[in-house]
Each structure stands twice: as structure tokens, then as C-alpha cells.
Amino acid sequence: MPRAAHVAWMRRALAVASSSGVDVPVGAVVYDAIGEELAAAGNERERLGDPTAHAEILALRRAAAVAGSWHLDGCTLVVTVEPCTMCAGALVLARVAALVFGAWEPKTGAVGSLWDVVRDRRLNHRPEVYGGVLEPECAALMRDYFRN
């Protein structure tokens, strides 16, 4: 997909992140191969009391339910913050074709910052990665949340 689509998709993910309530404002959206939205989610760890309820995990689960398969071949995951190791592993296992993310996460990022799970040559699937899309807006959302 062209960069213009990535920007539009990231704006949607930012809107989802902004409605995260008490949770850390991370938004994730899954698009199918033709650019149709399959699912969206924000973090829900606090709301659900579930340590695995990251935006990416919830969006992948919901997209798999819509697609009728855990194989999300051809899909793109768009997320406002660089995924952690759990989420990076999940998107690799789901066979997501591309990952688009906004802000880098130097403390827990697993797509180049701290680790690089998605590009590990030992794994059988490696998605295309587009990092830093609308990075200032995504980083500001996180900064404002933690400042308050």
C-alpha cells in the first residue's frame, strides 16, 4: 500500500487510541488485502484485568473472527506504538503481511528498538515493516498520558 494509505490508517488508529479510557492509549487496526477495515481495538488491560489485552492482540483476535481464520494473510496491522515481544510474536504467528506503526518504544519495542522479532530470520514468516508513521502525533499521545 502507498504511504498515503498508511497515514490515513494511522489516523484511524490514533482515533481508536484516544478512546482507550483509563488504559494506556494504544490503538490498533487490521486492514485486509484490499484496504477494508476488519477490526480495531485499544488497550483493555485495565478494563478487562487481562495482561494480554494489548490493542494489537485484541485487534488480531477480532480480525481473525471476522475473517473466519487465524491466518491473516494479506492483512496489515496498524498500531500507534511499536509492538512489544508478545504482540510482535502474535502478528508473526497470524501471518500478517505488513505492520505499520507510529511511535518507537525504546523500553519494550520488539520491531527494532530493543529486539527485532518480526525480522528474525529463524522464523518462518516476516512481515513488511513501516515504522515512524505519524510518529510525532503517536508519541505525543503517549507522552500526554504518562504526564497526567
Side-chain angles (χ1 to χ4, degrees):
M1 277 289 157
R3 183 146 169 86
H6 293 171
V7 170
W9 292 350
M10 187 59 72
R11 291 199 190 290
R12 169 72 174 123
L14 278 163
V16 172
S18 294
S19 63
S20 290
V22 299
D23 277 283
V24 176
V26 176
V29 186
V30 178
Y31 293 91
D32 68 13
I34 61 169
E36 295 293 320
E37 183 178 317
L38 291 179
N43 271 349
E44 294 185 32
R45 291 184 306 168
E46 296 298 329
R47 190 175 78 70
L48 297 176
D50 178 354
T52 69
H54 289 203
E56 300 95 311
I57 298 296
L58 297 173
L60 290 170
R61 286 178 184 159
R62 293 171 187 168
V66 170
S69 173
W70 62 268
H71 284 270
L72 296 176
D73 301 308
C75 291
T76 299
L77 172 64
V78 180
V79 61
T80 55
V81 178
E82 178 184 6
C84 69
T85 52
M86 175 181 68
C87 296
L91 72 96
V92 167
L93 293 173
R95 310 297 194 268
V96 169
L99 167 66
V100 177
F101 71 88
W104 292 89
E105 176 45 81
K107 293 180 182 177
T108 61
V111 186
S113 287
L114 191 55
W115 297 284
D116 201 348
V117 172
V118 299
R119 293 184 192 99
D120 191 320
R121 297 235 175 256
R122 295 169 292 184
L123 299 176
N124 64 344
H125 178 75
R126 287 178 296 283
E128 293 181 46
V129 176
Y130 305 91
V133 177
L134 296 181
E135 182 176 9
E137 293 94 324
C138 295
L141 191 61
M142 296 293 283
R143 227 180 3 263
D144 292 348
Y145 174 83
F146 285 108
R147 186 177 294 138
N148 295 327

